[in-house]
Amino acid sequence: MIRYIFTRIGYMMITLFIIILLSFLLMKALPGSPFNDERLPETQKELLYKKYGLDKPVPVQFGIYLSNLVQGDLGVSFVFDNRPVTKIIQERIGASAILGFQAVFVGTIIGLLLGIVAALKHNTIIDYGATVLAVLGISIPSFVFAGFLQYWVGVKLGWLPIAFWNGFEYSILPTIALAVGVVATIARFTRIEMLEVLNQEYILTAQSKGLSNSYIITKHGIRNALIPIITIIGPLTVNTITGSLVIEKIFSIPGLGEQFVNSIITNDYQLIMGTTIFYAVLFVSVILIIDILYGFIDPRIRVAGGE
Amino acid sequence: MKTILEVKNLSVSFNTYSGEVQAVRNVSFDLYEGETLAIVGESGSGKSVTSKSLLRLNPRETTMIKNGQIFYHHKNILDYSEQQMRGLRGAEISMIFQDPMTALNPTMTIGSQIAESIKKHTSLRGMQIIERVIELLQLVGIKEADKRYKQYPHQFSGGMRQRIVIAMALACEPRIIIADEPTTALDVSIQAQILELLKNIQKKMNLSIIFITHDLGVVAKMADRVAVMYAGKIVEIGLVDEIFYHCQHPYTQGLLAAMPNPDIDSESLYAIPGTPPNLLQPPVGDAFAARNKQALKIDFLEEPPMFKISDTHYAATWLLHKQAPPLLPVHQQLAQEKQKEREEKPLFDTNNPFLSLKEVKQYFKLGKNTINKAIDGITFDIYKGEIFGLVGESGCGKSTTGRSIIGLNTITDGTIQIDGQSIYDAQTKQEKLAFHRKVQMIFQDPYSSLNPRMKIADIIGEGLAIHGVPKSEWKTNIYELLDIVGLTKEYANRYPHELSGGQRQRIGIARALAVEPELIIADEPISALDVSIQAQIVNLLKKLQKERGLTYLFIAHDLSMVKYISNRIGVMHRGKIVELAESQELYDHPIHPYTKSLLSAIPLPDPKLERERQRIIFDEVKYNANDRANEKFIEVRPGHFVMLTEDELMQYHQTSAKGILL
């Protein structure tokens, strides 16, 4: 098992290196620089380039960046008064994390319920209704839904604040907007998995033992259906956290996503790189954790991996 | 005898998109205390639906019980509430399902799965339940039960899992056990063990068993009484001897005739023509009439009533009416014909084998230090035009052998030659193509081996395309191939899902034939098919052997079928061929202990023989204790090779000298 984890971490490192290299090169290929201000004289720009090492050839820059990265230094932001990128991320991650986890938590629970009910009421109005909801949830972009919520719930009804980040009630609308996609994905997946499991012979066996339906569904059905669902919850969480950038922008939440969008607009190289790497690390770690967890939930994998 | 269960005029239908499927039509039978009633029939005959109805386990949304009563202890359980039914399930009547691999929940320990019904139906609690679970596991023959009850299903073999399923069914000491094809998914030797276990437990607990199966051999071994179902009806019911020796219904006669009997040598199997009727529109009259060559006029017009033959024996056929003309039953006709048509043994060119394997080894690396020796040095030849049968239990390497020959695996060591050329000689694309043209494969599962989105014509056409046949000739070629495998040309435009299992397997054969191969590797080509259809496919394969001089490697675990079709047979055990001989010779004089145990484990479709037969058990520990490293493949009788050590050979010679056959 330990061997397995180490090999996985090794692969993770390779993946991360490729992500860093590609985003570094892509960023360099973009036209413009952080110091695009027309009022800035050429000589001043050159001084700035020199100060931040932007005059060196790209491979050298990359080398410097990597060596700093290994030491945990993501550089300083060009735009925000030389503040370290790590610090900016630290300040900003809080709101994003709360938003993301709230959305995944709420979305997963509702999604599971919806999926299970749809599966149990297979081929009835309830099933079709849930399926239509799920399709809508996946096909309507979250920002459309966000605007809709802002207008109706926020402006028309005036129930909830539509922007900024000053406590729990401020997080409700963006959480809902973000959770819709999660609900839809989980519900669809759960429905399919549940249907599959309910058709298994061990469900029939359980019925032939005289057990009650609710017992069979919770004890024999859901657990087996959950196994494949857990694999998608990990990437879904990361996606939701990263995907929140649009929502953060719409609701003016000072999260990492909003910062990310801003840094791209201002060509703040260090901040773009820093955030990208942060997201990438998050993503691969979650996948690793899920894979390890998987073994604990599914006894078949536990034994095979443990020996 | 006391009646414990009474089914009266039961009719069950399913609502499907295409309409109402009348799965069970007016079925009545009794079940007595302590007896085994076998319900026999092909897939779609309604046998499983009938048995599930006894526990009301058919899917509620689509099932309609149109008519009838089911009395358990004189109470009609069809009137029971769902709550009352739950009290019955598992406690009074319990069920054993076909596939032990799927009947157990993979994420729950076997102990807690057995405990569930104990908790539900008895007053035992806590440690008492665990004790009961361990007791049950011991009863079904699981060793170290006190440790193993905490394990998960995947930690047990298929046979062990079926024992666990049986333990689960026995947990609350039910009065009736419904066993739905409980051994179909198991190897013959494991099957024999499970059947014996069920019999012993039945005796101990005075259980009534409803045993659902399509295997007449198993019926002969297990049943006290037999009900034969066809197209949702019971067409004949009687004591086991009455059914096997005095059956009256033409369908029962056909089923019995379609079984290859290892003790009778015959040239062609009797195959019931056609396929079972579609129960969306059940036929008028006798449902079997359309497949019965000797059907009477009235068979097509009016449904025959149950005629009484004896107090215990009833059959629904107009042949029993006093106005019916006397007809000789199919199986007796066959017996007479067989006398005439026995042919001379075919001669093969033994000097130039078509396929030749020499010391072939196929190892698979599983982990760092574990190697799976799937094939461990096998040597055999197949002659041109011969059918060579390869038998053994699952995991013995027989399928791997087939896959290695066709080049799906690269062998670890040894040589495989086809037509005098090593299969690895082909280097260029053209040479490889030529090789693949020579060898084709027919797969086990006709449902998954055909692409569901391709028309039959396209499936067969693929082979023609590779063969370089011009497109203008495809049509005639495809029609010709369909004709060869006994299908009309209308099938060309259909999709696989429109065909029955037997028809699909015919398509699989047509596809293989499209490239005009010389060698066909048939990997369990009939094990997914019904008995009457099996005979059709086997006859087709044999016909092709004769007419086209095809050579076959026939891989199977059904020994009686293999004996019937093959010229020679190799018995595989743990990656090695332990015995090889002409099929009759192998059956008459098995020498290797493993072969003997395999042969004795096949249930024969003959109840009297079954009662007398003693099963020979292969003692693996004792076998391995002998000097296995120095075993040799020795020709003990002409053309009869056995894997023996020096000691074993000496022993054999000593006993055979005394005139005692081992």
Side-chain angles (χ1 to χ4, degrees):
Chain A
M1 193 66 187
I2 289 167
R3 246 187 78 93
Y4 169 76
I5 293 174
F6 274 110
T7 357
R8 285 297 305 265
I9 290 175
Y11 283 123
M12 255 173 72
M13 291 300 162
I14 297 169
T15 317
L16 282 178
F17 177 78
I18 294 168
I19 292 172
I20 295 167
L21 180 65
L22 284 181
S23 22
F24 196 87
L25 293 178
L26 278 174
M27 205 174 55
K28 289 291 167 194
L30 284 176
S33 81
F35 314 111
N36 264 351
D37 200 329
E38 282 158 21
R39 287 162 296 176
L40 222 55
E42 269 320 296
T43 45
Q44 194 78 37
K45 274 189 191 172
E46 263 163 42
L47 272 175
L48 279 168
Y49 283 154
K50 203 160 193 150
K51 182 180 168 199
Y52 293 110
L54 295 177
D55 55 339
K56 298 197 177 72
V58 175
V60 178
Q61 286 185 38
F62 186 66
I64 296 171
Y65 188 81
L66 267 191
S67 72
N68 286 340
L69 180 68
V70 175
Q71 295 159 35
D73 182 5
L74 288 170
V76 293
S77 164
F78 300 137
V79 180
F80 289 94
D81 307 328
N82 293 345
R83 283 170 59 206
V85 170
T86 37
K87 196 130 196 197
I88 297 176
I89 293 179
Q90 265 172 26
E91 281 166 15
R92 290 282 186 143
I93 185 65
S96 294
I98 291 173
L99 192 58
F101 284 118
Q102 275 183 9
V104 171
F105 186 71
V106 174
T108 307
I109 290 176
I110 298 175
L112 281 176
L113 286 177
L114 215 58
I116 291 167
V117 170
L120 294 181
K121 305 277 172 199
H122 185 42
N123 282 344
T124 62
I125 274 286
I126 299 171
D127 181 22
Y128 299 141
T131 313
V132 169
L133 271 183
V135 172
L136 282 179
I138 287 175
S139 34
I140 297 176
S142 59
F143 56 82
V144 175
F145 198 68
F148 177 83
L149 281 177
Q150 278 179 325
Y151 182 71
W152 285 102
V153 186
V155 179
K156 279 272 173 177
L157 296 169
W159 287 352
L160 289 164
I162 58 164
F164 306 121
W165 190 254
N166 289 319
F168 177 67
E169 72 254 39
Y170 286 84
S171 74
I172 295 175
L173 285 189
T175 301
I176 296 173
L178 208 51
V180 173
V182 180
V183 171
T185 315
I186 299 269
R188 258 168 39 116
F189 215 73
T190 310
R191 175 177 171 272
I192 295 165
E193 288 303 329
M194 252 335 247
L195 281 178
E196 164 111 30
V197 168
L198 290 180
N199 276 323
Q200 294 289 324
E201 218 165 54
Y202 55 77
I203 297 291
L204 200 62
T205 310
Q207 282 171 350
S208 76
K209 288 186 217 168
L211 306 170
S212 71
N213 270 339
S214 55
Y215 178 90
I216 293 171
I217 287 157
T218 44
K219 197 88 187 187
H220 292 270
I222 293 176
R223 178 158 182 191
N224 282 294
L226 268 185
I227 295 172
I229 293 169
I230 280 165
T231 40
I232 64 157
I233 288 181
L236 197 66
T237 310
V238 182
N239 272 339
T240 312
I241 294 173
T242 48
S244 68
L245 44 93
V246 183
I247 297 291
E248 283 174 20
K249 192 84 189 159
I250 293 173
F251 288 93
S252 300
I253 294 162
L256 196 56
E258 200 225 10
Q259 181 62 65
F260 195 34
V261 177
N262 283 337
S263 63
I264 292 169
I265 295 168
T266 55
N267 266 337
D268 192 344
Y269 289 162
Q270 305 285 44
L271 199 51
I272 299 175
M273 278 307 291
T275 320
T276 310
I277 292 168
F278 178 75
Y279 280 152
V281 172
L282 201 64
F283 202 90
V284 289
S285 331
V286 167
I287 290 173
L288 175 67
I289 291 168
I290 293 292
D291 276 0
I292 294 169
L293 272 185
Y294 206 68
F296 283 99
I297 297 160
D298 192 338
R300 285 164 293 188
I301 297 171
R302 195 189 309 161
V303 171
E307 280 167 357
Chain B
M1 249 192 287
K2 235 177 106 191
T3 310
I4 185 162
L5 190 83
E6 232 175 304
V7 176
K8 281 208 169 123
N9 306 323
L10 183 71
S11 295
V12 184
S13 289
F14 290 114
N15 285 318
T16 65
Y17 286 114
S18 21
E20 181 190 330
V21 175
Q22 303 178 27
V24 176
R25 303 186 293 148
N26 216 5
V27 161
S28 304
F29 62 89
D30 292 344
L31 179 71
Y32 304 119
E33 233 168 42
E35 75 157 352
T36 300
L37 171 71
I39 301 182
V40 190
E42 302 178 65
S43 42
S45 63
K47 57 190 196 305
S48 277
V49 179
T50 308
S51 66
K52 277 185 196 151
S53 302
L54 304 182
L55 276 179
R56 289 185 19 204
L57 279 176
N58 289 308
R60 229 175 304 161
E61 305 81 38
T62 50
T63 315
M64 292 182 297
I65 300 208
K66 306 277 280 190
N67 189 20
Q69 292 106 29
I70 300 170
F71 292 103
Y72 174 70
H73 282 313
H74 311 293
K75 278 191 207 109
N76 184 2
I77 62 167
L78 293 181
D79 295 337
Y80 274 23
S81 69
E82 191 55 30
Q83 187 75 29
Q84 282 173 303
M85 259 334 274
R86 271 187 230 131
L88 206 64
R89 291 181 194 139
E92 302 286 324
I93 307 175
S94 57
M95 198 144 180
I96 300 169
F97 293 96
Q98 174 175 356
D99 189 355
M101 296 317 215
T102 56
L104 293 168
N105 182 345
T107 57
M108 229 168 149
T109 62
I110 58 145
S112 42
Q113 291 189 58
I114 298 172
E116 278 180 335
S117 49
I118 303 176
K119 236 179 262 171
K120 161 94 192 178
H121 298 295
T122 68
S123 55
L124 299 181
R125 285 297 168 264
M127 270 314 287
Q128 290 168 310
I129 294 183
I130 295 177
E131 274 162 29
R132 172 74 183 143
V133 168
I134 293 171
E135 189 187 308
L136 281 163
L137 287 174
Q138 281 163 346
L139 176 72
V140 296
I142 288 183
K143 292 188 186 105
E144 296 183 54
D146 50 330
K147 287 180 200 129
R148 300 207 74 179
Y149 79 93
K150 283 183 196 153
Q151 288 184 324
Y152 289 92
H154 69 269
Q155 287 160 294
F156 294 85
S157 66
M160 283 294 153
R161 285 192 211 191
Q162 197 60 302
R163 285 170 191 266
I164 293 164
V165 173
I166 293 172
M168 228 154 69
L170 294 172
C172 304
E173 300 191 353
R175 300 313 314 141
I176 302 173
I177 283 198
I178 301 166
D180 190 352
E181 304 253 8
T183 56
T184 309
L186 304 172
D187 277 321
V188 266
S189 40
I190 311 284
Q191 163 170 294
Q193 289 172 18
I194 296 288
L195 294 179
E196 272 155 31
L197 172 72
L198 275 173
K199 267 194 154 174
N200 287 339
I201 289 172
Q202 176 177 35
K203 234 179 261 164
K204 248 185 237 170
M205 299 170 66
N206 194 27
L207 275 174
S208 306
I209 298 181
I210 295 181
F211 199 100
I212 293 145
T213 182
H214 65 272
D215 186 336
L216 291 167
V218 174
V219 174
K221 193 181 171 88
M222 290 297 288
D224 299 310
R225 286 194 306 136
V226 183
V228 181
M229 279 191 83
Y230 186 77
K233 284 173 176 292
I234 291 184
V235 294
E236 186 158 8
I237 185 165
L239 297 177
V240 66
D241 286 10
E242 288 171 332
I243 296 292
F244 276 86
Y245 305 122
H246 308 287
C247 58
Q248 299 297 326
H249 197 280
Y251 176 66
T252 319
Q253 293 166 353
L255 269 189
L256 283 167
M259 284 287 287
N261 189 330
D263 290 337
I264 298 170
D265 187 29
S266 63
E267 264 311 310
S268 87
L269 272 184
Y270 174 73
I272 303 174
T275 47
N278 184 347
L279 291 179
L280 275 169
Q281 290 113 19
V284 209
D286 186 347
F288 185 63
R291 297 174 75 188
N292 182 4
K293 279 184 196 150
Q294 304 180 329
L296 307 172
K297 210 170 189 181
I298 191 167
D299 280 333
F300 293 98
L301 302 172
E302 229 169 296
E303 203 183 310
M306 272 283 183
F307 287 97
K308 183 174 173 179
I309 301 151
S310 74
D311 283 345
T312 46
H313 190 184
Y314 295 83
T317 169
W318 285 116
L319 289 175
L320 292 168
H321 195 268
K322 48 183 183 294
Q323 287 174 12
L327 284 175
L328 200 55
V330 180
H331 58 294
Q332 285 173 21
Q333 283 177 20
L334 283 175
Q336 290 180 355
E337 275 170 33
K338 270 169 204 160
Q339 300 298 325
K340 291 182 265 170
E341 82 168 28
R342 192 163 297 184
E343 288 171 25
E344 278 176 47
K345 261 188 193 160
L347 283 174
F348 299 112
D349 177 5
T350 50
N351 292 324
N352 301 306
F354 186 72
L355 172 77
S356 167
L357 275 76
K358 280 204 179 65
E359 280 304 313
V360 172
K361 288 182 179 147
Q362 179 81 62
Y363 294 171
F364 295 110
K365 231 178 151 177
L366 293 181
K368 217 178 166 196
N369 298 317
T370 41
I371 289 171
N372 173 16
K373 296 183 178 177
I375 309 175
D376 198 9
I378 60 170
T379 302
F380 66 88
D381 293 336
I382 302 181
Y383 311 125
K384 182 97 193 136
E386 184 189 31
I387 300 184
F388 186 90
L390 201 55
V391 294
E393 60 193 61
S394 47
C396 72
K398 56 187 195 301
S399 285
T400 312
T401 308
R403 295 173 66 88
S404 298
I405 293 169
I406 207 164
L408 291 172
N409 310 315
T410 308
I411 54 170
T412 317
D413 198 14
T415 54
I416 301 177
Q417 287 190 331
I418 288 177
D419 221 356
Q421 263 191 323
S422 164
I423 59 164
Y424 297 115
D425 274 355
Q427 290 300 333
T428 63
K429 221 176 167 188
Q430 249 134 33
E431 282 172 347
K432 277 185 187 159
L433 213 66
F435 165 71
H436 285 297
R437 237 175 255 162
K438 265 187 208 164
V439 190
Q440 282 292 309
M441 199 147 177
I442 302 170
F443 296 94
Q444 172 174 8
D445 186 357
Y447 291 89
S448 61
S449 58
L450 300 179
N451 185 338
R453 293 189 212 302
M454 277 166 85
K455 280 187 182 165
I456 301 305
D458 299 325
I459 290 172
I460 300 173
E462 261 188 332
L464 297 173
I466 298 164
H467 200 26
V469 176
K471 244 191 163 161
S472 52
E473 291 172 24
W474 280 21
K475 220 179 190 174
T476 28
N477 268 316
I478 289 168
Y479 289 163
E480 202 184 301
L481 285 162
L482 284 173
D483 185 50
I484 290 169
V485 297
L487 296 172
T488 55
K489 52 186 175 186
E490 282 81 52
Y491 284 93
N493 276 323
R494 297 198 187 165
Y495 286 95
H497 72 262
E498 297 172 64
L499 310 188
S500 69
Q503 289 169 337
R504 286 182 211 212
Q505 201 56 296
R506 286 168 190 269
I507 301 297
I509 295 169
R511 172 174 64 182
L513 292 178
V515 300
E516 292 178 13
E518 291 170 69
L519 172 68
I520 286 187
I521 296 170
D523 191 356
E524 306 248 10
I526 51 167
S527 56
L529 305 173
D530 276 317
V531 186
S532 72
I533 313 293
Q534 280 187 358
Q536 293 176 5
I537 298 294
V538 163
N539 283 345
L540 172 64
L541 292 174
K542 263 205 141 167
K543 189 183 115 200
L544 292 170
Q545 174 204 20
K546 272 194 203 129
E547 291 176 3
R548 310 193 135 213
L550 282 177
T551 310
Y552 292 93
L553 174 63
F554 190 90
I555 301 165
H557 66 271
D558 181 349
L559 283 150
S560 33
M561 223 24 130
V562 173
K563 187 245 158 184
Y564 170 72
I565 193 173
S566 309
N567 301 102
R568 287 183 307 144
I569 297 175
V571 180
M572 267 189 102
H573 175 62
R574 305 237 153 166
K576 286 181 179 153
I577 291 189
V578 292
E579 189 155 4
L580 193 161
E582 283 187 5
S583 45
Q584 195 60 47
E585 163 77 13
L586 189 83
Y587 268 74
D588 294 344
H589 309 290
I591 293 166
H592 196 276
Y594 180 70
T595 316
K596 283 184 190 167
S597 84
L598 262 190
L599 286 175
S600 77
I602 319 171
L604 300 174
D606 187 334
K608 280 181 191 154
L609 260 179
E610 266 303 325
R611 264 168 240 148
E612 291 159 11
R613 225 150 63 115
Q614 201 71 46
R615 194 158 69 85
I616 302 165
I617 293 160
F618 178 55
D619 188 348
E620 185 125 28
V621 179
K622 200 178 141 205
Y623 175 72
N624 284 330
N626 288 340
D627 186 19
R628 283 270 85 91
N630 288 321
E631 63 186 359
K632 280 195 200 90
F633 208 44
I634 305 159
E635 186 168 10
V636 269
R637 292 159 66 97
H640 189 159
F641 296 83
V642 192
M643 189 70 94
L644 291 172
T645 62
E646 295 279 321
D647 289 352
E648 284 167 340
L649 184 66
M650 287 243 296
Q651 241 177 346
Y652 170 73
H653 282 311
Q654 278 168 9
T655 40
S656 53
K658 283 183 212 148
I660 312 159
L661 277 172
L662 262 180

